[in-house]
Amino acid sequence: MLNSATHRRQNSCNLRQPYQQRTPPSPPHSTSLARFSLDAAYHGSSESEDERENEDLSDVGELDPLNYETRHTRRSGRRIAKRFDSETAPLREGNSIQEKLLRSYRPPRWRLWRRCSGTSRSFCLLSEPYYPTPKGGRYAGWTDSFRKAQILVKQMTLPEKVNVTTGVGWSMEMCVGNTGAVPRLGFPSLCLQDGPLGLRFADHATAWPAGLTVGATWNKDLMRRRGQAQAIEARLKGINIILGPSMGPLGRMPAGGRNWEGFSPDPVLAGWASSQTIRGIQGEGVIATAKHFVANEQEHFRQAWEWGTPNAISSNVDDRTMHEVYAWPFMDAVGADVGSIMCSYNQVNNSYACQNSKLLNGILKDEFGFQGFVQSDWLAQRSGVASALAGLDMTMPGDGLRWADGRSLWGKELTKAVLNGSVPIDRLNDMVARVVAAWYHMGQDNTLNWPLPPPEGDGGPNFSSWTLNETGLLHPGSDDPTTGIVNKYMDVQNVGGNGSDSHQLLARAIAAEGIVIVENVDNILPLSRIGWSAKEVLNGEGKEFHVGIFGEDAATNPRGRNACEDRGCNVGTLGQGWGSGTAEYPYLISPVEALRQAFNDSVSITESTTNNLPSASVLSNQDLCLVFANSDGGEGYIASGNIKGDRNDLGLQKGGDRLIKHIADHCGRDEAAVVVIIHAVGPVTVEPWIEHPAIKGVILAHLPSQESGSSLADVLFGDVNPSGRLPYTVGKSLQDYGPDAQILFNANGLRPQQNFTKGLYIDYRYFDKNEITPRYEFGYGLSYTTFELSGFKLEHVAQNNESFPIGRPGGVTPPGYPMQLPNPQEALIPSNFTKIKKYVYPWLDSLSEVKKGRYHYPHGYTWVKPPHPAGGSQGGHPDLWIRAMHVEVHVANIGDTDGAAVVQLYTMEEYNPRVDFPVRVLRGFEKVQVPAGAKRTVAFDINRRDLSYWDIERNTMPRSTPERKVGCRLLRILQARSN
Ligand code: BGC
């Protein structure tokens, strides 16, 4: 074994190549699929026994049985009677719920969590109960914020506390989410606004390049600066909480509708991009939201009823895959101190993500040590009491099971639940403390930066999500006719000034770096502004150069750049996908406009910005044809044509392939060149035309948003040397991605089941394992210069040689609160108060609403659980973050153009009969600018987590291999990509 001394060694491993000749993939694993019958699903949930009892078809999925509101719905008398059959008396005596209930009761063995026995062999169909919720305030970085929160929360009445946890209802105030305020104590209503790309529904704000584009930059600095600039805009608009970044869906299915909101299907790239975005956002005092936790990988069936099924889809994921793939970026987000996490619509292992105690109490709050608050996705909360006990802290937008109905599962129902003991008061205190602490943690109590809303100050949102008029309804979701000034049209785009911090320039730089050039035959690129290259001019070729620009995707939607709400149509150039993750374009520079400007006046330009096939005579007259095509998708509440959120395939849309082939067949007389430019929400298959000899250039420009044309021109003409690299694999067909990567388009039951059978093997890991040659591999992209790598050095920094993380640091004691239940009288609505219709309030109309009785806590609530061995700090056990290796490599730019190389570090494992490992996994990357002729050294620190895997028996992350073997097996640096 190595001791703590550092030592060096050259890596001389003989490594297996990831791509070899293609062999047919093995057929889907039929035995494991068979285990997931509908029947099993119905009887599967161990989250609550009640849930199982209640699964009859008249009732299924309508409500969770632990929902406090259930008596208003179709329920059997038996259920109602049982719900009030409670154990609340001990609470009234002022003892903690744990003290009273945790009588070291051990459940019978058969009721325990059924363990997974391996990633590829079986699945955790059932979600483990994980109670009670670990309290916030355990880690030193948050001690101060929780202490301040304690002082405030202790002064709050019960309805005031409830108000902080509950949204006031859809479109009741100006933002997409608004919490209730506590004006008496100066705690404002919090404004929550999408999102991952820009400030949704806001005017005069930047529409940033989408997450996928940011992923394609592989530029950590730009990732952070985009977050920061977005947060500056948010603060000036009065937004407290940005609903982004998105790191779920991760991108298990390349056709998934919302993948583009996130960064990459690779957890490490997604984790870096997310955590850098979070650092940028929160550095400006705005709370970031890591969303959507977790495994919300497709739009079809994501929500109950949205797709006709009474229940949302269940993503069935084994524990190892959860930790090493889907939860990984969230772990990074917690490590980056994220203030909020949004739980998703879907179920995970047959328990809704927003009431899944294993996910929220277990993975997020215990293992990862998450100190902020969990908010629900909009209407993703499916139960009242169960979700509170499982670790949900805030419900959004406040309405209950149906959109904009004003019948919250919390609000007054939470007030009742606390008074009758079904939600322990210490859980409510923790919920509120987490929200208030996050507010303090970001410095939002500083009224200089965050003035209070009127009448105390002039803060709060100064824009309306619901109208562009200056004056509008103050509570548009209700029938209240009160109007006021709702839009102040504050221009927040230029706060960065004109330097490199200017938001416009920053957006342009990101969009340009997010462009990936995948073909550049005969160095057709970069183009010359006069059309002819210098050599051709010398040769005296042609006087006038003819360029044709073709395709609808080259121009702005003729009805206007924002004509389709939430960008919910594919007309004109594609700069964003569709859904809540979009922003209004303040302006949109289309490709055709930018190219018109960019070419010299001597160049003759022909434009045909529809997908109609241009005539052969027009085409034959061109020296260069630039063809644009696209592929769009988005969030499931919008369908455009026959695309219902998720894409139906990976093909170009609106006849793009046909157009490209036609132009390639007819462009120019003899030797004209065709360059294809694609805007898309994810990978597209290029097989129909990629081998066409006329096609010399292929550019994947992703989703550039407002600076579309300018960023494209920057790269096309070589003002910016392309440095984007693919954040996903481009396969030759959708089938190449494997059976697990296919969207479930048809419900396979009332609670659709989707089994993540391939476990760790998504995207390039699947291609590697099955030896499928992709068209373009993950991490690929061309530059206008050439890089060379040399001098690879690997250094062990072995500070801790134990296989498993040692012990678990205790952390600090969370602040305490009195356990007495409040006087019920304080929950009554003030006598002179007039309610607004459908607005969600915390008060009771009468004390008779509080029913006394016995309440059954969820299955597993009384089990004594030691703290999770994988926890111990924010972001998991601190040992996981110990530096384990240092790697260095030299990158030389041997071309004649300055450029940026992206050095990617992958780890590989030798065959291990006990644990299955992907052929390689990305573990680090750095983008480095290297002037022509120069050499730079790139350094990586690899931490223990990078060399670990999730051990399903021990529930923690041991090192993947004994220390002494590590050096000789693992590291391979993919060449810095260049042409
Ligand atoms: C989306 C979230 C979004 C929320 C608020 C939901 O439909 O899934 O991502 O933040 O709406 O707009």
Side-chain angles (χ1 to χ4, degrees), residues 221-540:
D221 183 51
L222 287 183
M223 291 164 178
R224 187 191 50 75
R225 285 172 58 204
R226 171 176 170 270
Q228 180 187 19
Q230 192 192 351
I232 291 172
E233 297 192 2
R235 197 180 60 229
L236 292 169
K237 287 281 184 190
I239 294 166
N240 304 80
I241 301 168
I242 288 180
L243 303 175
S246 172
M247 56 209 79
L250 189 67
R252 170 180 183 258
M253 288 161 260
R258 297 187 77 179
N259 296 350
W260 62 273
E261 293 183 40
F263 306 97
S264 167
D266 180 85
V268 170
L269 180 51
W272 267 106
S274 304
S275 50
Q276 287 297 86
T277 305
I278 289 163
R279 288 187 186 100
I281 292 175
Q282 296 195 163
E284 292 298 323
V286 176
I287 300 172
T289 306
K291 72 184 191 184
H292 310 81
F293 191 68
V294 62
N296 185 174
E297 293 293 318
Q298 67 166 52
E299 292 304 282
H300 282 72
F301 317 114
R302 65 173 184 159
Q303 283 198 67
W305 296 118
E306 193 181 59
W307 299 85
T309 56
N311 287 289
I313 193 168
S314 176
S315 298
N316 302 320
V317 191
D318 69 87
D319 232 16
R320 183 172 172 206
T321 304
M322 179 59 79
H323 283 84
E324 291 183 37
V325 180
Y326 299 97
W328 180 289
F330 289 93
M331 191 176 184
D332 285 341
V334 177
D337 213 26
V338 72
S340 183
I341 293 181
M342 184 190 287
C343 50
S344 53
Y345 284 124
N346 55 300
Q347 306 192 42
V348 176
N349 297 333
N350 289 293
S351 172
Y352 278 99
C354 287
Q355 65 188 55
N356 186 316
S357 60
K358 155 91 176 178
L359 291 180
L360 308 185
N361 289 342
I363 294 182
L364 283 188
K365 292 183 175 174
D366 192 2
E367 275 179 49
F368 293 178
F370 173 54
Q371 299 299 289
F373 61 94
V374 177
Q375 58 170 294
S376 71
D377 197 346
W378 271 230
L379 257 60
Q381 186 194 24
R382 307 311 290 168
S383 65
V385 174
S387 58
L389 300 183
L392 184 70
D393 303 304
M394 180 188 279
T395 175
M396 276 294 147
D399 303 281
L401 293 158
R402 293 193 178 76
W403 200 250
D405 66 356
R407 293 179 55 206
S408 188
L409 294 167
W410 283 359
K412 73 191 278 200
E413 299 303 328
L414 184 56
T415 306
K416 283 194 247 174
V418 170
L419 287 175
N420 75 13
S422 31
V423 170
I425 184 79
D426 63 347
R427 179 72 268 269
L428 177 68
N429 287 332
D430 180 56
M431 286 152 71
V432 185
R434 284 172 174 273
V435 178
V436 176
W439 181 75
Y440 278 121
H441 200 60
M442 309 299 158
Q444 294 194 5
D445 56 318
N446 174 348
T447 46
L448 283 179
N449 285 340
W450 296 91
L452 286 169
E456 287 81 13
D458 62 351
N462 52 36
F463 70 101
S464 168
S465 298
W466 322 113
T467 176
L468 281 174
N469 297 336
E470 186 175 13
T471 304
L473 290 169
L474 295 186
H475 311 292
S478 81
D479 56 2
D480 178 49
T482 317
T483 57
I485 295 194
V486 291
N487 276 308
K488 295 191 181 156
Y489 306 116
M490 184 182 283
D491 190 342
V492 293
Q493 299 165 89
N494 293 318
V495 284
N498 292 325
S500 63
D501 282 341
S502 138
H503 294 187
Q504 194 173 340
L505 292 184
L506 183 59
R508 181 169 173 170
I510 297 167
E513 285 203 28
I515 290 175
V516 181
I517 299 201
V518 291
E519 295 291 346
N520 190 10
V521 179
D522 303 334
N523 289 335
I524 175 92
L525 302 173
L527 301 176
S528 145
R529 287 182 195 274
I530 56 167
W532 301 113
S533 68
K535 196 168 121 219
E536 287 162 338
V537 171
L538 275 181
N539 291 346

Side-chain angles (χ1 to χ4, degrees), residues 561-698:
R561 58 183 186 269
N562 292 318
C564 301
E565 199 171 323
D566 287 335
R567 314 296 74 79
C569 63
N570 184 4
V571 183
T573 194
L574 182 67
Q576 314 178 18
W578 69 66
S580 64
T582 56
E584 303 295 294
Y585 287 113
Y587 62 87
L588 171 59
I589 302 175
S590 70
V592 73
E593 285 170 73
L595 293 174
R596 219 184 275 145
Q597 290 286 321
F599 278 109
N600 195 296
D601 284 348
S602 63
V603 174
S604 153
I605 298 180
T606 301
E607 295 169 14
S608 166
T609 52
T610 71
N611 282 359
N612 298 336
L613 304 185
S615 71
S617 61
V618 167
L619 288 171
S620 66
N621 201 26
Q622 308 304 325
D623 298 298
L624 171 70
C625 295
L626 302 173
V627 201
F628 288 81
N630 70 27
S631 182
D632 198 3
E635 194 173 342
Y637 66 92
I638 294 176
S640 172
N642 64 348
I643 297 156
K644 301 181 173 119
D646 304 308
R647 289 186 289 164
N648 299 326
D649 50 45
L650 301 184
L652 291 171
Q653 294 165 2
K654 303 188 84 172
D657 288 326
R658 185 166 152 262
L659 179 71
I660 294 168
K661 274 191 275 184
H662 175 79
I663 287 172
D665 284 345
H666 298 101
C667 180
R669 277 158 290 232
D670 310 315
E671 283 212 5
V674 176
V675 175
V676 177
I677 298 115
I678 293 170
H679 292 115
V681 289
V684 289
T685 44
V686 296
E687 299 312 303
W689 40 263
I690 195 66
E691 307 285 359
H692 198 295
I695 295 178
K696 305 285 189 203
V698 178

Side-chain angles (χ1 to χ4, degrees), residues 61-281:
E62 171 72 10
L63 292 171
D64 184 280
L66 292 174
N67 163 25
Y68 202 80
E69 264 278 32
T70 47
R71 70 183 176 287
H72 297 300
T73 66
R74 296 172 288 142
R75 291 270 157 186
S76 68
R78 183 175 60 84
R79 280 289 305 126
I80 294 164
K82 194 172 170 191
R83 184 164 342 102
F84 295 107
D85 186 18
S86 101
E87 296 180 35
T88 54
L91 286 174
R92 305 237 161 69
E93 290 161 23
N95 295 320
S96 99
I97 186 80
Q98 289 93 321
E99 282 161 8
K100 284 293 174 188
L101 297 180
L102 301 185
R103 296 289 183 210
S104 297
Y105 164 75
R106 286 279 173 188
R109 257 192 98 63
W110 64 267
R111 289 164 115 191
L112 283 167
W113 167 236
R114 291 183 208 164
R115 282 186 185 284
C116 316
S117 52
T119 32
S120 53
R121 277 180 288 145
S122 76
F123 279 85
C124 311
L125 177 64
L126 314 178
S127 201
E128 177 187 7
Y130 209 108
Y131 299 100
T133 307
K135 292 199 172 63
R138 276 183 306 153
Y139 297 116
W142 282 68
T143 314
D144 232 37
S145 312
F146 271 93
R147 202 173 303 121
K148 289 180 190 162
Q150 182 193 34
I151 295 168
L152 202 75
V153 175
K154 271 186 171 171
Q155 300 172 61
M156 289 183 186
T157 63
L158 176 58
E160 285 171 339
K161 290 178 184 173
V162 167
N163 235 15
V164 173
T165 67
T166 305
V168 295
W170 178 248
S171 64
M172 287 299 168
E173 298 287 347
M174 295 300 111
C175 302
V176 296
N178 309 270
T179 58
V182 186
R184 185 177 67 89
L185 300 174
F187 189 79
S189 158
L190 302 177
C191 161
L192 296 84
Q193 196 73 5
D194 292 294
L197 178 145
L199 308 178
R200 182 182 181 201
F201 297 143
D203 57 281
H204 299 89
T206 305
W208 297 95
L212 191 71
T213 314
V214 177
T217 69
W218 294 67
N219 185 328
K220 294 176 188 168
D221 183 51
L222 287 183
M223 291 164 178
R224 187 191 50 75
R225 285 172 58 204
R226 171 176 170 270
Q228 180 187 19
Q230 192 192 351
I232 291 172
E233 297 192 2
R235 197 180 60 229
L236 292 169
K237 287 281 184 190
I239 294 166
N240 304 80
I241 301 168
I242 288 180
L243 303 175
S246 172
M247 56 209 79
L250 189 67
R252 170 180 183 258
M253 288 161 260
R258 297 187 77 179
N259 296 350
W260 62 273
E261 293 183 40
F263 306 97
S264 167
D266 180 85
V268 170
L269 180 51
W272 267 106
S274 304
S275 50
Q276 287 297 86
T277 305
I278 289 163
R279 288 187 186 100
I281 292 175

Side-chain angles (χ1 to χ4, degrees), residues 734-767:
L734 178 55
Q735 285 62 44
D736 278 0
Y737 294 81
D740 251 24
Q742 313 302 320
I743 304 282
L744 180 74
F745 286 109
N746 298 309
N748 55 10
L750 294 173
R751 188 197 306 233
Q753 300 290 303
Q754 189 156 58
N755 306 318
F756 288 28
T757 353
K758 296 291 174 206
L760 308 175
Y761 297 98
I762 67 170
D763 201 75
Y764 66 88
R765 297 159 176 223
Y766 181 83
F767 282 73

